[in-house]
PDB file of all heavy atoms in Angstrom:
ATOM      1  N   SER I 851      12.401   5.326   1.675  1.00  0.00           N
ATOM      2  CA  SER I 851      12.151   6.179   2.902  1.00  0.00           C
ATOM      3  C   SER I 851      10.703   6.040   3.388  1.00  0.00           C
ATOM      4  O   SER I 851      10.405   6.451   4.462  1.00  0.00           O
ATOM      5  CB  SER I 851      12.448   7.620   2.590  1.00  0.00           C
ATOM      6  OG  SER I 851      11.545   8.147   1.594  1.00  0.00           O
ATOM      7  N   GLY I 852       9.834   5.517   2.466  1.00  0.00           N
ATOM      8  CA  GLY I 852       8.408   5.464   2.813  1.00  0.00           C
ATOM      9  C   GLY I 852       7.697   6.785   2.596  1.00  0.00           C
ATOM     10  O   GLY I 852       6.582   6.881   2.835  1.00  0.00           O
ATOM     11  N   GLY I 853       8.442   7.741   2.171  1.00  0.00           N
ATOM     12  CA  GLY I 853       7.952   9.067   1.929  1.00  0.00           C
ATOM     13  C   GLY I 853       7.033   9.332   0.707  1.00  0.00           C
ATOM     14  O   GLY I 853       6.360  10.365   0.663  1.00  0.00           O
ATOM     15  N   ASP I 854       7.137   8.393  -0.190  1.00  0.00           N
ATOM     16  CA  ASP I 854       6.322   8.600  -1.398  1.00  0.00           C
ATOM     17  C   ASP I 854       5.708   7.231  -1.815  1.00  0.00           C
ATOM     18  O   ASP I 854       6.365   6.228  -1.722  1.00  0.00           O
ATOM     19  CB  ASP I 854       7.171   9.124  -2.609  1.00  0.00           C
ATOM     20  CG  ASP I 854       6.360   9.531  -3.712  1.00  0.00           C
ATOM     21  OD1 ASP I 854       5.235   9.814  -3.537  1.00  0.00           O
ATOM     22  OD2 ASP I 854       6.968   9.665  -4.860  1.00  0.00           O
ATOM     23  N   THR I 855       4.500   7.312  -2.132  1.00  0.00           N
ATOM     24  CA  THR I 855       3.793   6.049  -2.674  1.00  0.00           C
ATOM     25  C   THR I 855       3.061   6.460  -3.944  1.00  0.00           C
ATOM     26  O   THR I 855       2.682   7.669  -4.215  1.00  0.00           O
ATOM     27  CB  THR I 855       2.759   5.669  -1.582  1.00  0.00           C
ATOM     28  OG1 THR I 855       1.821   6.721  -1.359  1.00  0.00           O
ATOM     29  CG2 THR I 855       3.433   5.277  -0.334  1.00  0.00           C
ATOM     30  N   LYS I 856       2.900   5.411  -4.744  1.00  0.00           N
ATOM     31  CA  LYS I 856       2.178   5.592  -5.989  1.00  0.00           C
ATOM     32  C   LYS I 856       1.137   4.426  -6.159  1.00  0.00           C
ATOM     33  O   LYS I 856       1.447   3.359  -5.693  1.00  0.00           O
ATOM     34  CB  LYS I 856       3.149   5.623  -7.194  1.00  0.00           C
ATOM     35  CG  LYS I 856       4.086   6.839  -7.039  1.00  0.00           C
ATOM     36  CD  LYS I 856       5.054   6.930  -8.228  1.00  0.00           C
ATOM     37  CE  LYS I 856       6.083   8.037  -7.926  1.00  0.00           C
ATOM     38  NZ  LYS I 856       5.575   9.313  -7.780  1.00  0.00           N
ATOM     39  N   TYR I 857       0.086   4.780  -6.944  1.00  0.00           N
ATOM     40  CA  TYR I 857      -0.978   3.800  -7.139  1.00  0.00           C
ATOM     41  C   TYR I 857      -1.339   3.815  -8.563  1.00  0.00           C
ATOM     42  O   TYR I 857      -1.490   4.840  -9.194  1.00  0.00           O
ATOM     43  CB  TYR I 857      -2.182   4.095  -6.205  1.00  0.00           C
ATOM     44  CG  TYR I 857      -1.893   4.004  -4.783  1.00  0.00           C
ATOM     45  CD1 TYR I 857      -1.452   5.116  -4.037  1.00  0.00           C
ATOM     46  CD2 TYR I 857      -1.953   2.735  -4.094  1.00  0.00           C
ATOM     47  CE1 TYR I 857      -1.125   4.959  -2.690  1.00  0.00           C
ATOM     48  CE2 TYR I 857      -1.651   2.641  -2.779  1.00  0.00           C
ATOM     49  CZ  TYR I 857      -1.245   3.822  -2.081  1.00  0.00           C
ATOM     50  OH  TYR I 857      -0.932   3.716  -0.722  1.00  0.00           O
ATOM     51  N   ALA I 858      -1.730   2.676  -9.084  1.00  0.00           N
ATOM     52  CA  ALA I 858      -2.417   2.554 -10.357  1.00  0.00           C
ATOM     53  C   ALA I 858      -3.805   3.217 -10.205  1.00  0.00           C
ATOM     54  O   ALA I 858      -4.470   3.061  -9.190  1.00  0.00           O
ATOM     55  CB  ALA I 858      -2.514   1.132 -10.870  1.00  0.00           C
ATOM     56  N   ASP I 859      -4.292   3.751 -11.390  1.00  0.00           N
ATOM     57  CA  ASP I 859      -5.568   4.436 -11.277  1.00  0.00           C
ATOM     58  C   ASP I 859      -6.758   3.458 -10.844  1.00  0.00           C
ATOM     59  O   ASP I 859      -7.709   3.738 -10.184  1.00  0.00           O
ATOM     60  CB  ASP I 859      -5.938   5.074 -12.576  1.00  0.00           C
ATOM     61  CG  ASP I 859      -5.151   6.305 -12.870  1.00  0.00           C
ATOM     62  OD1 ASP I 859      -4.490   6.849 -11.986  1.00  0.00           O
ATOM     63  OD2 ASP I 859      -5.067   6.678 -14.100  1.00  0.00           O
ATOM     64  N   SER I 860      -6.577   2.147 -11.219  1.00  0.00           N
ATOM     65  CA  SER I 860      -7.540   1.157 -11.013  1.00  0.00           C
ATOM     66  C   SER I 860      -7.760   0.794  -9.493  1.00  0.00           C
ATOM     67  O   SER I 860      -8.749   0.254  -9.100  1.00  0.00           O
ATOM     68  CB  SER I 860      -7.339  -0.055 -11.759  1.00  0.00           C
ATOM     69  OG  SER I 860      -6.004  -0.584 -11.473  1.00  0.00           O
ATOM     70  N   VAL I 861      -6.760   1.133  -8.711  1.00  0.00           N
ATOM     71  CA  VAL I 861      -6.741   0.792  -7.310  1.00  0.00           C
ATOM     72  C   VAL I 861      -6.740   2.017  -6.410  1.00  0.00           C
ATOM     73  O   VAL I 861      -6.968   1.913  -5.089  1.00  0.00           O
ATOM     74  CB  VAL I 861      -5.687  -0.144  -6.905  1.00  0.00           C
ATOM     75  CG1 VAL I 861      -5.663  -1.347  -7.847  1.00  0.00           C
ATOM     76  CG2 VAL I 861      -4.283   0.509  -6.960  1.00  0.00           C
ATOM     77  N   LYS I 862      -6.641   3.153  -6.965  1.00  0.00           N
ATOM     78  CA  LYS I 862      -6.362   4.394  -6.176  1.00  0.00           C
ATOM     79  C   LYS I 862      -7.732   4.625  -5.365  1.00  0.00           C
ATOM     80  O   LYS I 862      -8.759   4.552  -5.856  1.00  0.00           O
ATOM     81  CB  LYS I 862      -6.236   5.719  -7.090  1.00  0.00           C
ATOM     82  CG  LYS I 862      -5.475   6.768  -6.388  1.00  0.00           C
ATOM     83  CD  LYS I 862      -5.074   7.758  -7.499  1.00  0.00           C
ATOM     84  CE  LYS I 862      -3.978   7.245  -8.379  1.00  0.00           C
ATOM     85  NZ  LYS I 862      -3.467   8.205  -9.372  1.00  0.00           N
ATOM     86  N   GLY I 863      -7.539   4.874  -4.013  1.00  0.00           N
ATOM     87  CA  GLY I 863      -8.587   5.051  -3.159  1.00  0.00           C
ATOM     88  C   GLY I 863      -9.121   3.794  -2.527  1.00  0.00           C
ATOM     89  O   GLY I 863      -9.978   3.882  -1.603  1.00  0.00           O
ATOM     90  N   ARG I 864      -8.703   2.660  -2.995  1.00  0.00           N
ATOM     91  CA  ARG I 864      -9.084   1.344  -2.422  1.00  0.00           C
ATOM     92  C   ARG I 864      -7.894   0.676  -1.716  1.00  0.00           C
ATOM     93  O   ARG I 864      -8.143  -0.049  -0.829  1.00  0.00           O
ATOM     94  CB  ARG I 864      -9.697   0.465  -3.484  1.00  0.00           C
ATOM     95  CG  ARG I 864     -10.893   1.046  -4.148  1.00  0.00           C
ATOM     96  CD  ARG I 864     -11.594   0.044  -5.025  1.00  0.00           C
ATOM     97  NE  ARG I 864     -10.741  -0.347  -6.157  1.00  0.00           N
ATOM     98  CZ  ARG I 864     -10.371  -1.662  -6.429  1.00  0.00           C
ATOM     99  NH1 ARG I 864     -10.788  -2.601  -5.638  1.00  0.00           N
ATOM    100  NH2 ARG I 864      -9.611  -1.918  -7.479  1.00  0.00           N
ATOM    101  N   PHE I 865      -6.685   0.703  -2.306  1.00  0.00           N
ATOM    102  CA  PHE I 865      -5.521   0.079  -1.747  1.00  0.00           C
ATOM    103  C   PHE I 865      -4.646   1.052  -1.087  1.00  0.00           C
ATOM    104  O   PHE I 865      -4.510   2.246  -1.474  1.00  0.00           O
ATOM    105  CB  PHE I 865      -4.774  -0.608  -2.947  1.00  0.00           C
ATOM    106  CG  PHE I 865      -5.461  -1.746  -3.563  1.00  0.00           C
ATOM    107  CD1 PHE I 865      -6.789  -2.055  -3.362  1.00  0.00           C
ATOM    108  CD2 PHE I 865      -4.706  -2.538  -4.483  1.00  0.00           C
ATOM    109  CE1 PHE I 865      -7.336  -3.138  -3.987  1.00  0.00           C
ATOM    110  CE2 PHE I 865      -5.294  -3.629  -5.150  1.00  0.00           C
ATOM    111  CZ  PHE I 865      -6.630  -3.944  -4.825  1.00  0.00           C
ATOM    112  N   ILE I 866      -3.875   0.476  -0.069  1.00  0.00           N
ATOM    113  CA  ILE I 866      -2.956   1.325   0.629  1.00  0.00           C
ATOM    114  C   ILE I 866      -1.676   0.590   0.850  1.00  0.00           C
ATOM    115  O   ILE I 866      -1.820  -0.547   1.413  1.00  0.00           O
ATOM    116  CB  ILE I 866      -3.574   1.731   2.016  1.00  0.00           C
ATOM    117  CG1 ILE I 866      -4.784   2.590   1.861  1.00  0.00           C
ATOM    118  CG2 ILE I 866      -2.565   2.588   2.822  1.00  0.00           C
ATOM    119  CD1 ILE I 866      -5.482   2.827   3.253  1.00  0.00           C
ATOM    120  N   ILE I 867      -0.600   1.099   0.405  1.00  0.00           N
ATOM    121  CA  ILE I 867       0.727   0.498   0.730  1.00  0.00           C
ATOM    122  C   ILE I 867       1.330   1.092   1.842  1.00  0.00           C
ATOM    123  O   ILE I 867       1.324   2.333   2.065  1.00  0.00           O
ATOM    124  CB  ILE I 867       1.619   0.621  -0.594  1.00  0.00           C
ATOM    125  CG1 ILE I 867       2.833  -0.292  -0.463  1.00  0.00           C
ATOM    126  CG2 ILE I 867       1.967   2.015  -0.823  1.00  0.00           C
ATOM    127  CD1 ILE I 867       3.598  -0.413  -1.818  1.00  0.00           C
ATOM    128  N   SER I 868       2.052   0.283   2.700  1.00  0.00           N
ATOM    129  CA  SER I 868       2.734   0.805   3.864  1.00  0.00           C
ATOM    130  C   SER I 868       3.918  -0.119   4.110  1.00  0.00           C
ATOM    131  O   SER I 868       4.131  -1.193   3.557  1.00  0.00           O
ATOM    132  CB  SER I 868       1.823   0.778   5.037  1.00  0.00           C
ATOM    133  OG  SER I 868       1.334  -0.525   5.308  1.00  0.00           O
ATOM    134  N   LYS I 869       4.783   0.485   5.053  1.00  0.00           N
ATOM    135  CA  LYS I 869       6.017  -0.231   5.303  1.00  0.00           C
ATOM    136  C   LYS I 869       6.308  -0.257   6.793  1.00  0.00           C
ATOM    137  O   LYS I 869       6.097   0.747   7.417  1.00  0.00           O
ATOM    138  CB  LYS I 869       7.149   0.539   4.650  1.00  0.00           C
ATOM    139  CG  LYS I 869       8.539  -0.030   4.666  1.00  0.00           C
ATOM    140  CD  LYS I 869       9.445   0.821   3.865  1.00  0.00           C
ATOM    141  CE  LYS I 869      10.868   0.322   3.880  1.00  0.00           C
ATOM    142  NZ  LYS I 869      11.765   1.042   3.094  1.00  0.00           N
ATOM    143  N   ASP I 870       6.762  -1.374   7.303  1.00  0.00           N
ATOM    144  CA  ASP I 870       7.194  -1.550   8.706  1.00  0.00           C
ATOM    145  C   ASP I 870       8.667  -1.881   8.695  1.00  0.00           C
ATOM    146  O   ASP I 870       8.999  -3.051   8.501  1.00  0.00           O
ATOM    147  CB  ASP I 870       6.380  -2.578   9.370  1.00  0.00           C
ATOM    148  CG  ASP I 870       6.595  -2.710  10.895  1.00  0.00           C
ATOM    149  OD1 ASP I 870       7.713  -2.329  11.311  1.00  0.00           O
ATOM    150  OD2 ASP I 870       5.708  -3.110  11.646  1.00  0.00           O
ATOM    151  N   SER I 871       9.484  -0.921   8.889  1.00  0.00           N
ATOM    152  CA  SER I 871      10.941  -1.100   8.827  1.00  0.00           C
ATOM    153  C   SER I 871      11.449  -2.099   9.931  1.00  0.00           C
ATOM    154  O   SER I 871      12.325  -2.942   9.648  1.00  0.00           O
ATOM    155  CB  SER I 871      11.632   0.260   8.949  1.00  0.00           C
ATOM    156  OG  SER I 871      11.480   1.072   7.899  1.00  0.00           O
ATOM    157  N   ALA I 872      10.816  -2.059  11.075  1.00  0.00           N
ATOM    158  CA  ALA I 872      11.153  -2.946  12.111  1.00  0.00           C
ATOM    159  C   ALA I 872      10.928  -4.456  11.769  1.00  0.00           C
ATOM    160  O   ALA I 872      11.735  -5.290  12.196  1.00  0.00           O
ATOM    161  CB  ALA I 872      10.409  -2.656  13.449  1.00  0.00           C
ATOM    162  N   LYS I 873       9.940  -4.662  10.970  1.00  0.00           N
ATOM    163  CA  LYS I 873       9.664  -6.012  10.538  1.00  0.00           C
ATOM    164  C   LYS I 873      10.214  -6.327   9.108  1.00  0.00           C
ATOM    165  O   LYS I 873      10.024  -7.472   8.638  1.00  0.00           O
ATOM    166  CB  LYS I 873       8.132  -6.308  10.603  1.00  0.00           C
ATOM    167  CG  LYS I 873       7.548  -6.173  11.923  1.00  0.00           C
ATOM    168  CD  LYS I 873       6.114  -6.538  11.985  1.00  0.00           C
ATOM    169  CE  LYS I 873       5.557  -6.623  13.372  1.00  0.00           C
ATOM    170  NZ  LYS I 873       4.089  -6.941  13.396  1.00  0.00           N
ATOM    171  N   ASN I 874      10.783  -5.307   8.542  1.00  0.00           N
ATOM    172  CA  ASN I 874      11.376  -5.495   7.184  1.00  0.00           C
ATOM    173  C   ASN I 874      10.314  -5.998   6.216  1.00  0.00           C
ATOM    174  O   ASN I 874      10.566  -6.916   5.347  1.00  0.00           O
ATOM    175  CB  ASN I 874      12.630  -6.379   7.184  1.00  0.00           C
ATOM    176  CG  ASN I 874      13.613  -6.038   6.129  1.00  0.00           C
ATOM    177  OD1 ASN I 874      13.742  -4.880   5.752  1.00  0.00           O
ATOM    178  ND2 ASN I 874      14.477  -7.118   5.726  1.00  0.00           N
ATOM    179  N   THR I 875       9.172  -5.392   6.331  1.00  0.00           N
ATOM    180  CA  THR I 875       7.978  -5.872   5.570  1.00  0.00           C
ATOM    181  C   THR I 875       7.166  -4.706   5.004  1.00  0.00           C
ATOM    182  O   THR I 875       7.099  -3.652   5.589  1.00  0.00           O
ATOM    183  CB  THR I 875       7.089  -6.726   6.479  1.00  0.00           C
ATOM    184  OG1 THR I 875       7.780  -7.865   6.973  1.00  0.00           O
ATOM    185  CG2 THR I 875       5.866  -7.280   5.795  1.00  0.00           C
ATOM    186  N   VAL I 876       6.706  -4.972   3.755  1.00  0.00           N
ATOM    187  CA  VAL I 876       5.831  -4.015   3.114  1.00  0.00           C
ATOM    188  C   VAL I 876       4.473  -4.612   3.043  1.00  0.00           C
ATOM    189  O   VAL I 876       4.296  -5.892   2.681  1.00  0.00           O
ATOM    190  CB  VAL I 876       6.382  -3.567   1.751  1.00  0.00           C
ATOM    191  CG1 VAL I 876       5.296  -2.831   0.957  1.00  0.00           C
ATOM    192  CG2 VAL I 876       7.628  -2.719   1.906  1.00  0.00           C
ATOM    193  N   TYR I 877       3.390  -3.850   3.209  1.00  0.00           N
ATOM    194  CA  TYR I 877       1.985  -4.378   3.179  1.00  0.00           C
ATOM    195  C   TYR I 877       1.201  -3.741   2.066  1.00  0.00           C
ATOM    196  O   TYR I 877       1.532  -2.624   1.656  1.00  0.00           O
ATOM    197  CB  TYR I 877       1.279  -4.098   4.520  1.00  0.00           C
ATOM    198  CG  TYR I 877       2.056  -4.699   5.726  1.00  0.00           C
ATOM    199  CD1 TYR I 877       2.816  -3.949   6.514  1.00  0.00           C
ATOM    200  CD2 TYR I 877       1.852  -6.010   6.098  1.00  0.00           C
ATOM    201  CE1 TYR I 877       3.561  -4.471   7.601  1.00  0.00           C
ATOM    202  CE2 TYR I 877       2.469  -6.592   7.151  1.00  0.00           C
ATOM    203  CZ  TYR I 877       3.333  -5.784   7.965  1.00  0.00           C
ATOM    204  OH  TYR I 877       4.006  -6.305   8.961  1.00  0.00           O
ATOM    205  N   LEU I 878       0.255  -4.417   1.550  1.00  0.00           N
ATOM    206  CA  LEU I 878      -0.682  -3.833   0.644  1.00  0.00           C
ATOM    207  C   LEU I 878      -2.107  -4.171   1.252  1.00  0.00           C
ATOM    208  O   LEU I 878      -2.530  -5.402   1.191  1.00  0.00           O
ATOM    209  CB  LEU I 878      -0.578  -4.444  -0.716  1.00  0.00           C
ATOM    210  CG  LEU I 878      -1.477  -3.764  -1.856  1.00  0.00           C
ATOM    211  CD1 LEU I 878      -1.055  -2.346  -2.119  1.00  0.00           C
ATOM    212  CD2 LEU I 878      -1.414  -4.554  -3.106  1.00  0.00           C
ATOM    213  N   GLN I 879      -2.706  -3.111   1.744  1.00  0.00           N
ATOM    214  CA  GLN I 879      -4.086  -3.260   2.250  1.00  0.00           C
ATOM    215  C   GLN I 879      -5.025  -3.066   1.124  1.00  0.00           C
ATOM    216  O   GLN I 879      -5.065  -2.000   0.527  1.00  0.00           O
ATOM    217  CB  GLN I 879      -4.327  -2.265   3.346  1.00  0.00           C
ATOM    218  CG  GLN I 879      -5.809  -2.268   3.915  1.00  0.00           C
ATOM    219  CD  GLN I 879      -6.118  -3.509   4.681  1.00  0.00           C
ATOM    220  OE1 GLN I 879      -5.281  -4.059   5.447  1.00  0.00           O
ATOM    221  NE2 GLN I 879      -7.260  -4.128   4.443  1.00  0.00           N
ATOM    222  N   MET I 880      -5.859  -4.081   0.797  1.00  0.00           N
ATOM    223  CA  MET I 880      -6.757  -3.964  -0.302  1.00  0.00           C
ATOM    224  C   MET I 880      -8.144  -3.981   0.147  1.00  0.00           C
ATOM    225  O   MET I 880      -8.643  -4.950   0.845  1.00  0.00           O
ATOM    226  CB  MET I 880      -6.525  -5.229  -1.255  1.00  0.00           C
ATOM    227  CG  MET I 880      -5.109  -5.333  -1.628  1.00  0.00           C
ATOM    228  SD  MET I 880      -4.846  -6.580  -3.044  1.00  0.00           S
ATOM    229  CE  MET I 880      -5.324  -8.047  -2.023  1.00  0.00           C
ATOM    230  N   ASN I 881      -8.939  -2.945  -0.075  1.00  0.00           N
ATOM    231  CA  ASN I 881     -10.303  -2.829   0.391  1.00  0.00           C
ATOM    232  C   ASN I 881     -11.170  -2.656  -0.766  1.00  0.00           C
ATOM    233  O   ASN I 881     -10.757  -2.433  -1.973  1.00  0.00           O
ATOM    234  CB  ASN I 881     -10.412  -1.528   1.243  1.00  0.00           C
ATOM    235  CG  ASN I 881      -9.552  -1.502   2.433  1.00  0.00           C
ATOM    236  OD1 ASN I 881      -9.397  -2.497   3.094  1.00  0.00           O
ATOM    237  ND2 ASN I 881      -8.879  -0.420   2.725  1.00  0.00           N
ATOM    238  N   SER I 882     -12.534  -2.872  -0.608  1.00  0.00           N
ATOM    239  CA  SER I 882     -13.490  -2.828  -1.594  1.00  0.00           C
ATOM    240  C   SER I 882     -13.122  -3.533  -2.841  1.00  0.00           C
ATOM    241  O   SER I 882     -13.185  -3.085  -4.004  1.00  0.00           O
ATOM    242  CB  SER I 882     -13.682  -1.278  -2.023  1.00  0.00           C
ATOM    243  OG  SER I 882     -14.093  -0.526  -0.811  1.00  0.00           O
ATOM    244  N   LEU I 883     -12.690  -4.781  -2.604  1.00  0.00           N
ATOM    245  CA  LEU I 883     -12.242  -5.577  -3.682  1.00  0.00           C
ATOM    246  C   LEU I 883     -13.248  -5.888  -4.700  1.00  0.00           C
ATOM    247  O   LEU I 883     -14.480  -6.026  -4.379  1.00  0.00           O
ATOM    248  CB  LEU I 883     -11.581  -6.807  -3.089  1.00  0.00           C
ATOM    249  CG  LEU I 883     -10.209  -6.674  -2.516  1.00  0.00           C
ATOM    250  CD1 LEU I 883      -9.943  -7.850  -1.680  1.00  0.00           C
ATOM    251  CD2 LEU I 883      -9.197  -6.526  -3.576  1.00  0.00           C
TER     252      LEU I 883
END
């Protein structure tokens, strides 16, 4: 549903997971690598 997301402690606050149902694609935005 996209309603819940979880993160490993090592990436929390830096990575963002999201979903585009129209494109049938999930993304992982990785910042402050």
Side-chain angles (χ1 to χ4, degrees):
S851 67
D854 193 19
T855 58
K856 299 185 189 297
Y857 298 92
D859 288 343
S860 58
V861 307
K862 204 169 291 184
R864 299 189 297 123
F865 291 10
I866 301 171
I867 192 170
S868 62
K869 183 177 181 180
D870 186 333
S871 294
K873 295 184 178 179
N874 212 25
T875 298
V876 169
Y877 302 98
L878 185 68
Q879 178 68 42
M880 306 189 296
N881 302 318
S882 302
L883 283 162

